[in-house]
Amino acid sequence: VRTFDVAIIGGGVIGVSIAFELAAEKLRVVVLERRQPGEEASWAAAGMLSPSPDSPRDFPLVPFAKESLRLYPRFVAAVEEASGKSAAYVRHGTLEFFFSPGAVAECQTRLRELQSFGLGAESVSVGEARRWESSAPSSARAALWLPEEGTVEPRLLMDALLEAAQNRGTEVRANCAVTGLVRDAGRCTGVIAAGEKISAGTVVLCAGCFSNELAGQPSPPFVVPTRPVRGQMLALRPLPNSVNLRRVLRSESAYLIPRRDGRIVAGSTIEEAGFNKHVTPAGMQKILNAALEICPDLAGAEIVETWAGLRPGTPDDLPILGPADFAGLLIATGHYRNGILLAPATARVVCDWILGAKPAFDVSAFSPMRFHGSKSQALSAV
Ligand SMILES: Cc1cc2nc3c(=O)[nH]c(=O)nc-3n(C[C@H](O)[C@H](O)[C@H](O)COP(=O)(O)OP(=O)(O)OC[C@H]3O[C@@H](n4cnc5c(N)ncnc54)[C@H](O)[C@@H]3O)c2cc1C
């Protein structure tokens, strides 16, 4: 039996960020990943660092998202220093465009909403936006400038994070599926992974949209109610000297993100398709139509890659973050559309819990207990 201070189930951006933070505290940490780390949602993500809400359902998340954005520069600098690798983090801001007949009013409502959360936003004329980004759409009727937003390249971030966590002493085991939790006298004391018992002072469940699978037999209802929400994406390479974006361009239907190598990533769909990761004609059509509305100059670009990933969705679109209902188990999952952005703040609060400190931010709204019935049990235990 191997013994660790912390065993983390899932090697996505959430699990590995937590490992990276804990390893700085000199804890013995193991990340257990059933495939290769970073190949699921964290690989598929666009990498926008945007705390602005997409709908009123996101409102409770905004303060936490703002905190995580505030932590980002320090987080990335630490990861890059510990790994020697770049995550391609930039803070070039976002231009949002409005196209509908009611665009001007819609834009003003959006501006007030963003400002009410203390998010940096100002309205700009479409002409001014086009002076900054010559490929911005002349057909837009209104525009907003969100100067604080940034991006990372999630695949680079994952690569750097893994290296950084390992350089700090974290053990990462690939092809090592966790099939159950070990419970002893009402406390979670470890996991069964690849048939082996691994003991740990604390277990952290970070299995993304698959977290629900560990709810076990018999499955207690609604303990970790994650579900996969498919997002399709594509990457374009503009014709030489045609499109040269610096900022993120966004509408309510799509976004365009410039990558360091000149490619432009376009996304996304939000689909209930189970665990199916196919790219579909309808998905591509939807993204391309909306992408060309934002940036018509991309019409002749080459489509260089298409892919899809599964976001960890939850019933209320909010993360599931906090202690479970038995000691020794923490849950950090359900980051839905914002896991790349939320990784630093999530890692910080999980680290605080494990060290016995009061979490740096109030995350009680995300407690796993909100899904529990009056008499709850926790995950499957063996
Ligand atoms: C198309 C798309 C675009 C996105 N764009 C953005 C964006 O712009 N900005 C942003 O902030 N977020 C974005 N997201 C969301 C973000 O990708 C996710 O919220 C985040 O990656 C979730 O990270 P995770 O570590 O929880 O999950 P994952 O990356 O899915 O990692 C979970 C890991 O757990 C492993 N696992 C599962 N079960 C077990 C088990 N039993 N034992 C061991 N390991 C197990 C899996 O193999 C996987 O590697 C996007 C997502 C998608 C799909």
Side-chain angles (χ1 to χ4, degrees):
V1 179
R2 290 291 309 277
T3 301
F4 293 88
D5 295 314
V6 183
I8 293 173
I9 306 171
V13 72
I14 298 298
V16 183
S17 297
I18 292 169
F20 176 65
E21 195 80 19
L22 290 169
E25 306 291 340
K26 303 286 176 245
L27 296 181
R28 285 164 303 149
V29 183
V30 64
V31 174
L32 305 161
E33 165 55 51
R34 72 170 169 193
R35 298 176 33 162
Q36 293 298 312
E39 286 192 346
E40 289 290 349
S42 304
W43 173 86
M48 265 183 307
L49 305 176
S50 168
S52 42
D54 289 324
S55 82
R57 283 167 75 82
D58 295 338
F59 288 173
L61 191 61
V62 175
F64 190 54
K66 273 176 66 183
E67 280 299 331
S68 210
L69 184 63
R70 193 180 62 78
L71 295 179
Y72 236 90
R74 242 181 304 154
F75 172 75
V76 170
V79 169
E80 291 183 343
E81 192 190 330
S83 65
K85 294 182 170 179
S86 167
Y89 166 70
V90 290
R91 202 80 169 256
H92 291 164
T94 296
L95 283 165
E96 270 191 8
F97 294 98
F98 300 80
F99 295 90
S100 72
V104 173
E106 208 184 299
C107 179
Q108 286 309 310
T109 306
R110 172 78 166 158
L111 178 64
R112 280 194 298 276
E113 180 181 288
L114 295 174
Q115 289 176 337
S116 74
F117 285 108
L119 296 167
E122 54 192 88
S123 76
V124 290
S125 71
V126 173
E128 190 168 5
R130 279 172 55 78
R131 274 194 292 282
W132 298 350
E133 295 288 355
S134 56
S135 291
S138 54
S139 62
R141 296 170 191 237
L144 280 184
W145 167 231
L146 287 65
E148 293 160 0
E149 297 199 350
T151 56
V152 283
E153 299 199 16
R155 297 172 195 177
L156 297 182
L157 174 68
M158 271 316 302
D159 195 34
L161 251 179
L162 268 168
E163 180 93 23
Q166 286 171 301
N167 287 347
R168 281 186 174 177
T170 297
E171 186 173 330
V172 177
R173 293 196 198 173
N175 304 312
C176 188
V178 172
T179 50
L181 306 182
V182 181
R183 187 147 64 157
D184 196 4
R187 185 185 169 86
C188 182
T189 57
V191 298
I192 302 295
E196 187 194 343
K197 182 174 167 183
I198 296 173
S199 294
T202 306
V203 172
V204 192
L205 176 59
C206 309
C209 70
F210 311 94
S211 299
N212 195 26
E213 288 176 6
L214 274 168
Q217 301 296 329
S219 172
F222 308 121
V223 172
V224 198
T226 52
R227 71 177 197 289
V229 181
R230 185 169 69 189
Q232 301 187 42
M233 300 282 300
L234 58 91
L236 301 164
R237 187 174 298 285
L239 291 171
N241 307 319
S242 62
V243 178
N244 185 15
L245 285 189
R246 180 175 154 85
R247 301 161 181 84
V248 172
L249 306 188
R250 194 161 69 205
S251 70
E252 65 170 3
S253 311
Y255 49 77
L256 293 171
I257 304 174
R259 291 291 196 234
R260 210 163 47 175
D261 64 1
R263 297 189 315 159
I264 294 174
V265 167
S268 179
T269 59
I270 300 177
E271 302 165 88
E272 303 286 342
F275 289 93
N276 178 323
K277 284 194 281 189
H278 292 170
V279 169
T280 66
M284 291 296 109
Q285 184 178 41
K286 179 183 171 294
I287 297 170
L288 285 168
N289 283 342
L292 293 181
E293 184 181 41
I294 308 174
C295 187
D297 291 350
L298 282 172
E302 180 188 0
I303 299 175
V304 286
E305 191 186 346
T306 62
W307 69 95
L310 303 175
R311 306 177 185 92
T314 64
D316 54 10
D317 294 351
L318 299 175
I320 306 177
L321 187 54
D325 67 343
F326 63 91
L329 178 66
L330 287 167
I331 297 174
T333 188
H335 292 76
Y336 191 37
R337 302 184 70 189
N338 291 294
I340 304 294
L341 168 63
L342 298 174
T346 299
R348 191 58 256 154
V349 295
V350 170
C351 193
D352 289 341
W353 274 313
I354 290 174
L355 296 174
K358 186 172 178 288
F361 324 112
D362 178 12
V363 287
S364 50
F366 313 138
S367 166
M369 307 308 282
R370 72 189 188 276
F371 299 115
H372 284 220
S374 52
K375 187 176 181 310
S376 61
Q377 305 157 37
L379 302 173
S380 69
V382 292

